[in-house]
Amino acid sequence: PQLCAFTIQDKYYVFVLDKDNKARSKNITTLERYKDCFITNGLKLGDRVVVDGIQQLRDGAMVIPKEYLVDSARFTSQLN
């Protein structure tokens, strides 16, 4: 979701969780369309992206993860 991305000096970032559930900011590249934001570079399969509460989050902060399911097939079909 677009809500998980934030900008610093015109660059987009998301927080991902490392193996110890610590938040790390990661630079991403996006393709924006009306109402949607698609990440095209910067993440890899298996990255756990923080989707809520990023306003209070800082690098290295411990996070208690909760599962958040996304229908990636629906988003992929919108790119074509």
Side-chain angles (χ1 to χ4, degrees), residues 7-51:
T7 58
I8 298 175
Q9 296 182 349
D10 296 329
K11 293 184 180 180
Y12 284 94
Y13 295 85
V14 295
F15 281 108
V16 295
L17 299 182
D18 66 15
K19 62 178 177 59
D20 298 318
N21 292 327
K22 290 185 180 179
R24 304 290 179 204
S25 61
K26 196 168 194 181
N27 181 248
I28 59 169
T29 305
T30 63
L31 168 68
E32 295 186 43
R33 290 195 174 175
Y34 179 72
K35 290 186 174 181
D36 293 311
C37 178
F38 300 95
I39 297 172
T40 59
N41 196 8
L43 295 178
K44 62 182 184 291
L45 186 64
D47 277 348
R48 298 181 299 156
V49 177
V50 177
V51 296

Side-chain angles (χ1 to χ4, degrees), residues 52-72:
D52 191 24
I54 65 169
Q55 298 83 2
Q56 297 84 21
L57 200 54
R58 299 290 178 258
D59 268 330
M62 280 294 261
V63 174
I64 300 171
K66 295 180 182 176
E67 190 171 6
Y68 182 87
L69 299 177
V70 175
D71 182 2
S72 60

